[in-house]
């Protein structure tokens, strides 16, 4: 079972998450593997389906490793676009305790 004492890492997403950004996003996620992660999507102006898939695959991978994968901050554009393409990020939103 994964240790819960591992420091949480953070990832600030680029404003434009298009086809050109998908590989870089995937590589950044891989470098953070093995630790809980908090995603800051507050600056996102556009997100394409491929980057949304990379993020959802990351969430699934972290879940399988029993690590936290949450979105701490999201822009309106991020929320609207993910909803439009059928991705529900609500379960991944950080919750206040």
């Amino acid at each position: 079972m994964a240790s819960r004492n591992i420091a949480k890492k953070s990832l600030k997403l680029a404003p434009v998450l298009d086809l050109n950004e998908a590989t870089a996003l995937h590589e950044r996620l891989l470098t953070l593997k093995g630790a809980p992660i908090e995603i800051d999507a507050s600056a996102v102006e556009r997100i394409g389906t491929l980057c949304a898939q990379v993020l959802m695959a990351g969430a699934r991978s972290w879940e399988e490793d029993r690590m936290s994968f949450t979105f701490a901050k999201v822009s309106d554009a991020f929320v609207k676009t993910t909803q439009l393409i059928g991705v529900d990020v609500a379960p991944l939103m950080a919750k206040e305790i």
Side-chain angles (χ1 to χ4, degrees), residues 11 13 25-26 29-30 32-39 50-71 78 87-93:
L11 174 63
L13 298 179
L25 175 59
H26 179 250
L29 284 171
L30 286 177
L32 299 170
K33 192 104 167 84
I37 188 171
E38 189 171 79
I39 308 290
L50 190 54
C51 282
Q53 286 178 319
V54 169
L55 288 169
M56 294 304 99
R60 183 76 174 259
S61 180
W62 261 254
E63 180 183 21
E64 288 172 359
D65 291 346
R66 294 193 169 115
M67 293 283 174
S68 171
F69 186 104
T70 57
F71 288 90
F78 180 86
V87 175
D88 184 13
V89 295
L92 299 173
M93 292 299 297

